[in-house]
Amino acid sequence: MKNTYKTLSLFFVLALTFVSCDLEETPPFLADSNVYSSVDGATAALNGIYSSFANFNYYSADFHHSTLYMSGLFVVKRPTDINSIGKLSPEPSINFTTNLWRASYEAIARANDLIKNVPENTPDDQLKNILGITYFLRAHTYFNLVRLYGGVPLYTEPATENSLNQPRASVTEVYNLIIEDAKKAESLMFDNVTQVDGRPSKYASNMLLAKVYMTLAENDNASPNWQLAYNEAIKVYNKYTLVSNYGDLWATEASANHNSESIFEINFNEEFSSRITRLFTPNNAFPGRGWERFRVNPEVVDAHMNTYPGDPRINFTFRSEYTNSSNGATVKVYPSRTRASFNNGYPWVNKYFVKDQTASTDANNFNYVHYRYADLLLMLAEIENELNGPASAYPYVNEVLKRARDTNNSAVPADWSGLSQDDFRSAIMKEYHFELLAERQDFFVSRRRGFDFFKTNYIDVHNARADKPFDIIYPEDPKVMLFPIPSSEIETNQKINGSDQNPGY
């Protein structure tokens, strides 16, 4: 069964007819509980959740604003952001993280309505699958929230006047709900052979759980969570395949959307368009409008080029020149030219750079892939190294490296061999960025092993390379590990006050 963009648009329009603004929606966004008893009605409700995911304040823009700016790998261009989130110190009132918080809870509120109204013991497999996807989306959203903000309010039922305000739950309580939801999702969702194109299968839940357990393991190679992570990740192994050419992951809509490597993606189209292209493209690179929000710190491209000279992934990941659409001049930045100013000191990300430089608009049908199989292989390599050492881990990472080589018949990157466990650990954490840079895993990878790891491998490395007056210096402060709780939440939630703010804000 295939979902066309036309069908998705129809469902989105139906769902958006019932859009709510926040957790205070009364009645729920699909008010008649009978709507949920049919597959068509429940599908409309599910697409209402997805419309929250596709919102500008979530995966269309502000999730990227928040996580990329705070990752320690990207530079901020707007002057208003340079002295706040650009220095990894966003104010509690900053719009990016506030909007992301609100959009996340909108998605959770819609998920709660569907979960409340579709019974788990329904005999209809299609309804079970829809319910499973909803549990996955709620677990996924809470997993984002707890890693970005720490303990957050937990809402698991449609909001009422009495339940509208909730205190910050502990981090442990949030993770307990995530694990419970993800396990329910796995039991209810279709596998990837049966699942509708563009919808996650039960293996997305396994990948989410593996990420959860890896996060809980932190930097402790003796943690039992590594085995739990392996138990989940191995269920996904060989259920997907790598796209043969690395560049095809972003080359065209046909090769990028719903490909063999995609495990969880957000569907966009020209009516419900992502702003990702606009966020990564300069204004004069095409006749349309570019915002150029994200450019890469120089040490990031240096690390990739120095580790794997000639790696085909470099040209697909970084872009250091383009043709000005208004005058035909060639615009060059580092590393195609010497760093002399802010404007020429940082490369762009080629993955999301506008594909058609004659286009009058950035609107397109490219989806956003959030989980892909290469990430799963790198996860398995990291997990195996922690459990059993490098010998068991090499096959997974080498599969990713082979695809990179085969993309352009290159000899680089060579297969790994002869590493100690510590050397492998250091190398695999870098490999996530070489393979997945700007795919919105960077914030989570950089912080998963704790502040000391983040400081040593990101803050210190960046500050040592920041040798120009226009470079931003990062603070050596543990506050950078989390976003602040939005001031609007503290002001309006009667069960949260200023003393609940994250340390340092």
Side-chain angles (χ1 to χ4, degrees):
M1 178 180 178
K2 306 293 184 182
N3 268 358
T4 66
Y5 288 118
K6 185 175 181 180
T7 303
L8 279 174
S9 298
L10 176 62
F11 279 136
F12 276 137
V13 169
L14 177 59
L16 287 169
T17 303
F18 304 94
V19 165
S20 66
C21 294
D22 50 38
L23 287 167
E24 294 187 72
E25 53 190 357
T26 304
F29 80 95
L30 290 181
D32 186 352
S33 61
N34 291 330
V35 170
Y36 297 91
S37 63
S38 72
V39 172
D40 285 347
T43 299
L46 177 61
N47 280 303
I49 303 169
Y50 268 102
S51 72
S52 294
F53 271 62
N55 189 287
F56 183 92
N57 298 143
Y58 202 176
Y59 278 113
S60 179
D62 280 336
F63 180 83
H64 316 303
H65 281 129
S66 300
T67 59
L68 291 182
Y69 282 161
M70 285 288 283
S71 67
L73 300 172
F74 294 84
V75 67
V76 173
K77 182 178 182 180
R78 291 201 314 177
T80 54
D81 300 326
I82 286 176
N83 290 318
S84 58
I85 199 168
K87 292 185 176 179
L88 312 187
S89 299
E91 302 89 350
S93 60
I94 195 169
N95 61 334
F96 302 136
T97 58
T98 298
N99 291 343
L100 177 56
W101 174 283
R102 290 172 174 166
S104 298
Y105 276 107
E106 179 184 89
I108 288 167
R110 295 180 180 185
N112 288 344
D113 286 337
L114 193 151
I115 289 169
K116 179 70 173 180
N117 287 286
V118 177
E120 289 185 36
N121 62 355
T122 176
D124 191 311
D125 288 342
Q126 294 284 349
L127 286 176
K128 286 182 180 178
N129 179 55
I130 291 169
L131 182 59
I133 294 172
T134 303
Y135 273 118
F136 167 79
L137 295 176
R138 187 171 77 174
H140 173 79
T141 300
Y142 272 122
F143 188 38
N144 284 342
L145 287 170
V146 74
R147 291 180 294 172
L148 297 174
Y149 300 91
V152 295
L154 288 180
Y155 296 90
T156 59
E157 297 278 344
T160 66
E161 184 178 351
N162 294 328
S163 65
L164 187 59
N165 298 298
Q166 293 293 330
R168 290 187 72 177
S170 69
V171 169
T172 298
E173 289 170 328
V174 179
Y175 274 110
N176 287 343
L177 176 64
I178 293 165
I179 293 168
E180 179 183 350
D181 275 3
K183 288 181 176 179
K184 286 180 180 178
E186 179 193 10
S187 71
L188 294 166
M189 293 162 75
F190 292 153
D191 63 24
N192 60 328
V193 175
T194 309
Q195 191 59 280
V196 176
D197 275 354
R199 294 292 189 244
S201 77
K202 67 179 183 178
Y203 302 118
S205 294
N206 299 125
M207 188 167 179
L208 186 153
L209 282 167
K211 286 180 177 290
V212 165
Y213 292 126
M214 293 172 77
T215 303
L216 293 174
E218 295 183 318
N219 211 27
D220 178 9
N221 72 335
S223 171
N225 286 303
W226 288 112
Q227 183 62 53
L228 294 174
Y230 175 84
N231 295 344
E232 298 298 334
I234 199 64
K235 295 177 185 177
V236 191
Y237 185 59
N238 276 338
K239 300 300 182 183
Y240 301 83
T241 58
L242 295 177
V243 170
S244 59
N245 185 297
Y246 183 78
D248 284 347
L249 292 166
W250 304 277
T252 67
E253 293 161 11
S255 66
N257 296 348
H258 308 155
N259 60 53
S260 64
E261 192 166 336
S262 174
I263 298 174
F264 172 43
E265 65 187 89
I266 310 300
N267 288 322
F268 290 104
N269 60 39
E270 290 186 10
E271 290 182 69
F272 300 96
S273 183
S274 163
R275 288 292 175 261
I276 295 177
T277 298
R278 181 178 295 186
L279 296 175
F280 284 88
T281 304
N283 192 46
N284 60 3
F286 69 119
R289 186 181 182 191
W291 287 350
E292 194 185 301
R293 292 285 168 81
F294 307 118
R295 293 171 69 179
V296 185
N297 281 333
E299 71 274 7
V300 179
V301 65
D302 290 349
H304 198 155
M305 295 174 68
N306 293 338
T307 304
Y308 296 131
D311 183 347
R313 293 176 297 181
I314 292 172
N315 288 335
F316 290 115
T317 300
F318 305 100
R319 188 175 187 126
S320 58
E321 61 181 78
Y322 68 88
T323 300
N324 186 314
S325 64
S326 63
N327 59 21
T330 299
V331 180
K332 292 186 177 182
V333 299
Y334 184 82
S336 287
R337 59 161 296 169
T338 303
R339 304 180 71 233
S341 69
F342 186 97
N343 286 337
N344 60 41
Y346 311 90
W348 299 281
V349 176
N350 203 26
K351 293 175 180 177
Y352 305 109
F353 205 91
V354 66
K355 301 299 184 291
D356 179 3
Q357 286 194 243
T358 67
S360 60
T361 175
D362 64 308
N364 58 67
N365 290 329
F366 278 95
N367 292 344
Y368 163 56
V369 178
H370 193 63
Y371 289 176
R372 61 181 176 91
Y373 189 53
D375 187 10
L376 186 280
L377 291 171
L378 297 180
M379 290 164 58
L380 275 168
E382 182 185 356
I383 294 165
E384 276 284 13
N385 182 60
E386 299 298 340
L387 291 174
N388 302 304
S392 300
Y394 289 135
Y396 300 116
V397 67
N398 286 344
E399 188 173 343
V400 176
L401 301 179
K402 180 180 184 301
R403 190 267 297 275
R405 291 195 302 272
D406 291 349
T407 290
N408 198 27
N409 296 318
S410 172
V412 180
D415 284 351
W416 290 5
S417 62
L419 299 177
S420 68
Q421 187 180 47
D422 287 343
D423 289 342
F424 191 104
R425 183 182 300 118
S426 178
I428 197 66
M429 298 307 292
K430 294 181 176 67
E431 197 64 36
Y432 284 109
H433 301 308
F434 298 155
E435 175 69 22
L436 302 165
L437 186 76
E439 297 179 48
R440 268 61 83 193
Q441 302 301 321
D442 303 296
F443 176 97
F444 305 122
V445 169
S446 68
R447 285 161 173 78
R448 177 158 51 78
R449 287 181 174 266
F451 174 68
D452 288 343
F453 177 86
F454 181 62
K455 179 183 178 301
T456 299
N457 294 280
Y458 295 83
I459 295 175
D460 292 350
V461 171
H462 170 75
N463 288 348
R465 180 65 173 82
D467 56 354
K468 303 292 183 181
F470 49 83
D471 285 327
I472 297 171
I473 302 298
Y474 294 153
E476 300 177 13
D477 189 332
K479 70 177 285 188
V480 304
M481 297 297 284
L482 294 172
F483 297 155
I485 301 298
S487 55
S488 60
E489 180 71 14
I490 293 174
E491 292 164 1
T492 59
N493 186 333
Q494 296 176 10
K495 294 188 177 181
I496 294 180
N497 56 49
S499 65
D500 295 310
Q501 183 58 273
N502 284 329
Y505 291 103

